[in-house]
Amino acid sequence: MLLQARQLTKSFPTRGVPLEILRGADLTLDRGEAAAIMGPSGSGKSTLLHLLGTLDRPSAGSVRYEGIDPFTLAEADLADFRNRQIGFVFQDHHLLPQCTVLENTLVPTLVRGEAAQRLDRARALLQRVGLSERLDHRPAELSGGERQRVAVARALINQPLVILADEPTGNLDAVSAAEVGGLLLEMCQAEGAALVVVTHSAELAARFPQRHALRDGRLESERGS
Amino acid sequence: MSWRRLLWASLTYHGRANLSVVLGVALATSVLVGALLVGESLQASLRHQAIDRLGQIDLALVGDRFFPENLADRLAAATTAAESRIAPVIMLRGSAVHRLDGGGVRRAGRVQVVAVDERYWPLHGLPERSLRGEVIVNAVLAADLEADVGQFVEVRLEQPHAIPADSFVGRRTATEGVLLPAARVAEVLPMSGPGRFSLAAEQAEPRIVYVALSTLQRLLRDEGLQPQGVVNGLLIAAPKLADDEGWWRQRVNELAQLEDMGFDLQPDASGSRYLSFTSRRMLIEPAAAAAVTEAARTHGWQAQPTLTYLANVTYHRTGLVASVAASVARLAHGALPFDLIWLGEAANSFTPYATICGLDPTLPAPWGPFLDATGQPAPALADDEILLTDTMAADLWPLGGWERERGAAVAELRYFVEGPDRALREETTPFKLAGVVPLQGPAADRSLTPEFPGLAGQSIRDWRPPFPKSQWHPDWVRDKDERFYRQWRVAPRAFVSLATARKLWQSRHGDLTSIRLAAPPTDLKSLEQTVRAALKPLLVAEHQGLAPTAIRAQLFGWLFVGFSFFLILAAGLLVGLFVRLRLEQRQRELGLYFALGIPARRVQALLVREGLILSLAGALGGTLLAVGYAWLLIQAIGWGWTGSLPSSFLQFHVLTWATPLGRLPGPGVFIGFGLSLLIAWATIRLALRGWQALAPQSLLVAAAMNLPVDARRSLRRTAALALATGGAGLALAMAGRLVPPSQAPGLFFGAGFLILVSGLTALRWWLIWRSDCARVPLLGLMRFAAAQTARRPSRSLLTAGLIASGVFIVLAVEAFRKSPTDVEDRTGGTGGFTWVGEADVPLPWSPDDAASWQRLATDAMNGSDDVPPWPSEMQLFGLHLRPGDDVSCLNLYAPRQPRLLGVPDALIERGGFSFMLPGDATPAETENPWRLLLRPATEAVPILADDHAAQWVLQKNIGDVWELADESGQPFKVRLVGLLNSSMLQSELLMAGRHFRQHFPSRAGFGFFLIDAPTAASAAARHSLDELLGDAFGWTVTSAAERLANFQAVENTYLSTFQVLGGIGLLLGSLGLAIVLLRNFTERIGEWALLQALGFSRRTLGGLALVEQGVMLLAGLVVGVVAAAVAVAPMWMEMGRQIPWRPLALMLVLLPVVGMLAGLAALRSVLRVPLLQALRRE
């Protein structure tokens, strides 16, 4: 199994009693599988994604990728793991405004100095997301949908095990949202990466074979068609 | 894509934010480099002045001892390798007088008299010229004297004794100065080149008069003070080997003959029997005597040491009645009419003014043995025996019959010896008659008596003897005495044992007047060569004061870096602030890097490299700006400096180095640039600290960067730090009340600083508590506004800290500002003295009582009846003075030969001033710290100095030992045993008079005076002193309070400079505050729009903004003022210092105004954004 999250629990300290956001969430995914996680605002969707993406540590429970618990790694190894194996797509794209489309796609390759080697892949990815004519443009010159497509290409540049997308279409209009959503599913399947999308968009979630709802800090499966 | 590409893209994209960092670094750099450039300009100005006043002179051989002028020619011939030019000079101190046509007199003291010949002027790049009986003065002296070309001036010089003035044969008349006849002023030199010539390391303008070398040499010879053709200085221009002082000393050592060192080696009258080694200083110095004796022993020469002295009277006691009569006559001397005294004296046979020689009369040829009238050898002399010549015996036994009294104590010698405080005392010693020898053969050797100064002329009555006129009795001289003199001059007329002579007449200057050397069968010529060769290594020229010294002064210039430290600190804080702001702007970017798996160290490296590039750009720009800043600062300093400097003194200079690439900027620029870069880079590194500890997700959502991970733990630590520093500050403040007043300001300043840190730490505690732990709901607009400051604790703290530090510095520095003290307070800076007097021609004794006043008056006024009355209400203390470099803050040069005062025992007992004591001070020394000067001088001579001179100029602490040179150039150790607190004696070092006389015997006169006169009588006392001493001694007097105020003015100028620069730093803090406010408001543009949408009026929003920024402004102000109050309050309460109202008012008014204006301007710009547009950002 590619991804196994067991009894993930996360609580945050407050001025009073600690606030428990996740209370034992479980999730498993294999290569090429895609899951959508829905839930009301404040249910902990983004928190779950941050735990899966090793951006935060669980208060209890575990996350394993192909049997490896990344939280047992040293800090430097954890960063390396995240760089190689996990791709992120954020609601607010988070492109570097000072870099071009092509450069933004290649940013994750800087860690191991592989930008030159990955150049062709970057161009190919951008072609697949329909931005081959915009390689030298900066984020300020792109629409919201185009920026998000760059973010998708960036997330895939290192051929990660899993793509984690946090409300990837949250800031997009319906047409762009549909495009980006479809792109995510298509490219993850083509790359053999697992995909976890957090969304409150029913339309987007409907396109996923696995759907989960986050209620009361736990994931409840809602199998899709 | 590469890291480099990402680096440059980030730099250019965030250009505006980066520009603020660059500007901050540029500002810090311009201040630092500018401060160093000011220091370089100071150095260059001093160097320029030094070069101007020294011309081409590189070395000088100048001292108290005179040597043959031809040493200049011999040295020039021997140093052609150095392409040298050497000019002989006589340099003496003196005073000048111009008698105005309409009556009235203009006097000038501290005049440098330089006697030169034609070789001097080319050393200043001028053509040779000769002065024929005229003088040349410089413009400053001409102005003082109101003299112009063609007018006549008189110059009185200190008396250049060949013989130490305090040996009994040193001149002792009150008017010891040498008066040059009134001479016409041939030229008035401008204040440059020779018009500014001085060997002293001082920037004060000298007063110079040039006279012809031959004129002064002739005068000194005629006065019997020096032989013909001698000088006391050589000025050396050496384009090559100028810096090799050792090389020059070696040349002088090689060339110098005994005569150059003040010794003579002459054959006897027959030219065949022996050589006589003597000193022009009359007594042979013990070191020289030991060297000659050792050489004689080593080479097997025969040596006969002798000591010849002048007896005032030699008596033959003829009986009890006559003895009593003579005793009565002596006692009544001065009270009885002359005739009676003469009769009393005449009742005993006597011989006036005979020389008595101490030697061994039994030595074999060539010096003896002495034979009596029967041809038998004279007996060896016991210590109480005297051997008379037949001429003296005939005097004392006019009727014969001396044989009957052989062995009886019937002979008596009366002679002068030095009493306490250099007063001459007449003593009497009886002798038993050992026998009589004819005045022939070895006993009739005129060369046994050296040339006594003043004992020359056609007759005894022509003598100008070396003791006071009141004690010279030419009327005692009879015709038979004159007859003897004409035939025998001053040949000895009696002999005592050498041991007795040494016991009676030795002094610290020596105990022999000659050492006679013989080595039969060697002829005298060969012996002379052998003796000279043997003495060469033993009598080294530089040990006799013939030591050329390089004279380029050492300078210092880091003072202004110290002044500017707060300004540099403020600029550094501003840089940190801008870096932090920039970092906060890029939070999401940092979060993204983290999410993409880029290691933190990589991201840190990226940010640090960005910072380095910005620092480099800022440092380069700042270095260019520094030139303008330094120029402005120099103009400001020149405008505000105390009047001790000439107005054109300080000029802007940038030192440069000659390189293969051309002239490049010098050390100030490079050091400043490098330091600025280092400071900026370190500041940026510090500002980048801690961001990695923040959770990535909070970075991604751009939450506040300043929240500590564990607020409670941080609160505990902060509280502990605040309490610790506050407690330490209070403890230091309490300690400040227990230490001596002089040490208190430093402790209080330290206490204030700790209170400042404590206050800021407490403020940080409040900010953390407010932002994270406070449970009090924000009900009310004021609380709401105040709480906003806690949203960005680091930013708020930085701003408040900048304000608080600036306020503290500006106010607390006032604690060190000096103000006039009560003149009558003995523990104050004047020591309770009213006047300070200086005499260019040292007084032989100090007129500190009626008798010495009268004696001085009698001699100075040549017996005139118009003697000013003794100011009995006055207490006067005379100190010895060795002129030298001023060690006070008035002198910007590093002193090489400090000015020295020799303190009399009476002043030590009087006490006065307040002191910083050593830790091992005894109770007696604590009660009267002057007693520290009486500590044993076995290892080092104890000295005192003013605390400012010690700290800032000499850079010495209590207990430090270093070397000074005595008057012959030999080093001796001194130890600093105590410090005077902020006294008027800042210009000099002080040692006990006894130690002073030991090391500077020829300076045993009194040149410096402290006068204590009650207010009512002080004017009269000054008038009397002026009348008595004005013309004869170059007397000048200044008020003690004025002297102290001059020193305080310099210190206060330094403080003002520090405050001005601190004030500029404060303005920087205000600028930082304005930028922070603008940033604070701009970040929350949506928030302000929301408040508007909720119905808050613009006026209410303005009020909120004012309260928000006012909290930090007020916090900074309060912390700074409280800390400054702790530093300054004791001065206010106990020492009568004034509350610094002006800077305080400026702080309290200007800062809030600037802050509020900045805040309102920032708010205004934010509220200009259309409401809906602003809301969308929220």
Short mmCIF file of all heavy atoms in Angstrom, two decimals, chain B residues 599-626:
data_model
loop_
_atom_site.label_atom_id
_atom_site.label_comp_id
_atom_site.label_asym_id
_atom_site.label_seq_id
_atom_site.Cartn_x
_atom_site.Cartn_y
_atom_site.Cartn_z
N PRO B 599 15.56 22.34 2.26
CA PRO B 599 16.00 22.37 3.66
C PRO B 599 16.11 23.81 4.17
O PRO B 599 16.44 24.72 3.42
CB PRO B 599 17.38 21.70 3.62
CG PRO B 599 17.43 20.97 2.33
CD PRO B 599 16.53 21.67 1.39
N ALA B 600 15.91 23.91 5.47
CA ALA B 600 15.94 25.24 6.09
C ALA B 600 17.30 25.91 5.90
O ALA B 600 17.39 27.11 5.67
CB ALA B 600 15.60 25.11 7.56
N ARG B 601 18.36 25.11 5.96
CA ARG B 601 19.68 25.72 5.84
C ARG B 601 19.90 26.30 4.45
O ARG B 601 20.58 27.29 4.26
CB ARG B 601 20.78 24.73 6.19
CG ARG B 601 20.77 23.50 5.36
CD ARG B 601 21.99 22.59 5.58
NE ARG B 601 21.87 21.39 4.78
CZ ARG B 601 22.09 21.33 3.48
NH1 ARG B 601 22.44 22.42 2.80
NH2 ARG B 601 21.95 20.20 2.83
N ARG B 602 19.26 25.66 3.47
CA ARG B 602 19.35 26.19 2.11
C ARG B 602 18.65 27.53 2.00
O ARG B 602 19.13 28.46 1.35
CB ARG B 602 18.68 25.21 1.15
CG ARG B 602 19.58 24.14 0.62
CD ARG B 602 20.49 24.69 -0.41
NE ARG B 602 21.15 23.66 -1.14
CZ ARG B 602 21.97 23.88 -2.14
NH1 ARG B 602 22.22 25.09 -2.51
NH2 ARG B 602 22.54 22.88 -2.76
N VAL B 603 17.47 27.55 2.60
CA VAL B 603 16.70 28.79 2.56
C VAL B 603 17.43 29.88 3.32
O VAL B 603 17.52 31.03 2.88
CB VAL B 603 15.29 28.57 3.15
CG1 VAL B 603 14.50 29.86 3.14
CG2 VAL B 603 14.56 27.49 2.39
N GLN B 604 17.98 29.49 4.46
CA GLN B 604 18.75 30.46 5.26
C GLN B 604 19.91 30.99 4.44
O GLN B 604 20.18 32.19 4.44
CB GLN B 604 19.25 29.77 6.53
CG GLN B 604 20.12 30.61 7.41
CD GLN B 604 19.32 31.51 8.33
OE1 GLN B 604 18.11 31.65 8.18
NE2 GLN B 604 19.99 32.12 9.28
N ALA B 605 20.60 30.05 3.74
CA ALA B 605 21.75 30.46 2.93
C ALA B 605 21.31 31.45 1.85
O ALA B 605 22.00 32.44 1.58
CB ALA B 605 22.41 29.25 2.30
N LEU B 606 20.17 31.20 1.26
CA LEU B 606 19.65 32.09 0.22
C LEU B 606 19.40 33.48 0.80
O LEU B 606 19.80 34.49 0.22
CB LEU B 606 18.34 31.51 -0.33
CG LEU B 606 17.67 32.28 -1.45
CD1 LEU B 606 18.47 32.18 -2.73
CD2 LEU B 606 16.25 31.74 -1.70
N LEU B 607 18.76 33.50 1.96
CA LEU B 607 18.44 34.80 2.57
C LEU B 607 19.70 35.52 3.01
O LEU B 607 19.82 36.74 2.89
CB LEU B 607 17.52 34.58 3.78
CG LEU B 607 16.13 34.04 3.44
CD1 LEU B 607 15.39 33.67 4.72
CD2 LEU B 607 15.33 35.04 2.64
N VAL B 608 20.66 34.75 3.54
CA VAL B 608 21.90 35.38 4.01
C VAL B 608 22.68 35.96 2.83
O VAL B 608 23.23 37.06 2.92
CB VAL B 608 22.75 34.37 4.79
CG1 VAL B 608 24.16 34.89 4.98
CG2 VAL B 608 22.11 34.07 6.12
N ARG B 609 22.70 35.22 1.73
CA ARG B 609 23.42 35.74 0.56
C ARG B 609 22.75 37.01 0.04
O ARG B 609 23.43 37.96 -0.37
CB ARG B 609 23.47 34.70 -0.55
CG ARG B 609 24.58 33.74 -0.36
CD ARG B 609 24.73 32.77 -1.50
NE ARG B 609 25.45 31.61 -0.97
CZ ARG B 609 25.09 30.36 -1.13
NH1 ARG B 609 24.02 30.06 -1.83
NH2 ARG B 609 25.77 29.38 -0.59
N GLU B 610 21.45 36.99 0.06
CA GLU B 610 20.73 38.21 -0.33
C GLU B 610 21.16 39.35 0.58
O GLU B 610 21.44 40.46 0.12
CB GLU B 610 19.22 38.01 -0.18
CG GLU B 610 18.56 37.32 -1.35
CD GLU B 610 17.05 37.25 -1.17
OE1 GLU B 610 16.49 38.15 -0.51
OE2 GLU B 610 16.45 36.30 -1.68
N GLY B 611 21.20 39.04 1.87
CA GLY B 611 21.58 40.07 2.84
C GLY B 611 22.99 40.57 2.59
O GLY B 611 23.27 41.77 2.73
N LEU B 612 23.88 39.67 2.23
CA LEU B 612 25.28 40.06 1.99
C LEU B 612 25.37 41.00 0.79
O LEU B 612 26.10 42.00 0.83
CB LEU B 612 26.10 38.81 1.75
CG LEU B 612 27.61 38.96 1.86
CD1 LEU B 612 27.98 39.45 3.24
CD2 LEU B 612 28.30 37.65 1.56
N ILE B 613 24.63 40.69 -0.24
CA ILE B 613 24.66 41.54 -1.43
C ILE B 613 24.10 42.92 -1.10
O ILE B 613 24.65 43.95 -1.50
CB ILE B 613 23.87 40.89 -2.59
CG1 ILE B 613 24.63 39.66 -3.07
CG2 ILE B 613 23.66 41.87 -3.74
CD1 ILE B 613 23.84 38.78 -4.01
N LEU B 614 23.01 42.93 -0.34
CA LEU B 614 22.44 44.22 0.05
C LEU B 614 23.40 45.00 0.93
O LEU B 614 23.55 46.22 0.80
CB LEU B 614 21.12 44.01 0.79
CG LEU B 614 20.00 43.36 -0.02
CD1 LEU B 614 18.80 43.07 0.86
CD2 LEU B 614 19.59 44.24 -1.19
N SER B 615 24.08 44.27 1.84
CA SER B 615 25.04 44.93 2.72
C SER B 615 26.17 45.53 1.91
O SER B 615 26.62 46.65 2.17
CB SER B 615 25.63 43.94 3.71
OG SER B 615 24.61 43.32 4.45
N LEU B 616 26.63 44.78 0.93
CA LEU B 616 27.74 45.27 0.09
C LEU B 616 27.33 46.53 -0.64
O LEU B 616 28.07 47.52 -0.68
CB LEU B 616 28.10 44.17 -0.91
CG LEU B 616 29.49 44.24 -1.53
CD1 LEU B 616 30.55 44.15 -0.46
CD2 LEU B 616 29.66 43.10 -2.52
N ALA B 617 26.14 46.49 -1.22
CA ALA B 617 25.66 47.67 -1.95
C ALA B 617 25.53 48.85 -1.01
O ALA B 617 25.93 49.97 -1.33
CB ALA B 617 24.32 47.37 -2.62
N GLY B 618 24.96 48.60 0.17
CA GLY B 618 24.79 49.68 1.14
C GLY B 618 26.12 50.21 1.63
O GLY B 618 26.32 51.42 1.78
N ALA B 619 27.07 49.31 1.87
CA ALA B 619 28.38 49.74 2.37
C ALA B 619 29.11 50.58 1.32
O ALA B 619 29.76 51.57 1.65
CB ALA B 619 29.21 48.52 2.76
N LEU B 620 28.98 50.17 0.06
CA LEU B 620 29.64 50.94 -1.00
C LEU B 620 29.03 52.34 -1.09
O LEU B 620 29.73 53.35 -1.14
CB LEU B 620 29.49 50.23 -2.34
CG LEU B 620 30.47 49.07 -2.57
CD1 LEU B 620 30.06 48.28 -3.80
CD2 LEU B 620 31.89 49.58 -2.71
N GLY B 621 27.69 52.36 -1.10
CA GLY B 621 27.03 53.66 -1.18
C GLY B 621 27.32 54.52 0.02
O GLY B 621 27.56 55.72 -0.08
N GLY B 622 27.31 53.87 1.20
CA GLY B 622 27.57 54.62 2.42
C GLY B 622 28.97 55.18 2.47
O GLY B 622 29.19 56.27 3.01
N THR B 623 29.92 54.45 1.91
CA THR B 623 31.30 54.93 1.89
C THR B 623 31.40 56.22 1.09
O THR B 623 32.13 57.14 1.45
CB THR B 623 32.22 53.85 1.31
OG1 THR B 623 32.07 52.66 2.08
CG2 THR B 623 33.66 54.29 1.34
N LEU B 624 30.66 56.26 0.00
CA LEU B 624 30.68 57.50 -0.80
C LEU B 624 30.01 58.64 -0.03
O LEU B 624 30.50 59.77 -0.02
CB LEU B 624 29.95 57.27 -2.12
CG LEU B 624 30.62 56.29 -3.06
CD1 LEU B 624 29.73 55.99 -4.26
CD2 LEU B 624 31.97 56.81 -3.54
N LEU B 625 28.90 58.30 0.64
CA LEU B 625 28.20 59.34 1.42
C LEU B 625 29.04 59.82 2.59
O LEU B 625 28.90 60.96 3.04
CB LEU B 625 26.89 58.77 1.99
CG LEU B 625 25.73 58.59 1.03
CD1 LEU B 625 24.57 57.90 1.75
CD2 LEU B 625 25.27 59.93 0.47
N ALA B 626 29.90 58.94 3.07
CA ALA B 626 30.69 59.24 4.26
C ALA B 626 31.55 60.47 4.07
O ALA B 626 31.81 61.22 5.02
CB ALA B 626 31.57 58.04 4.61
#
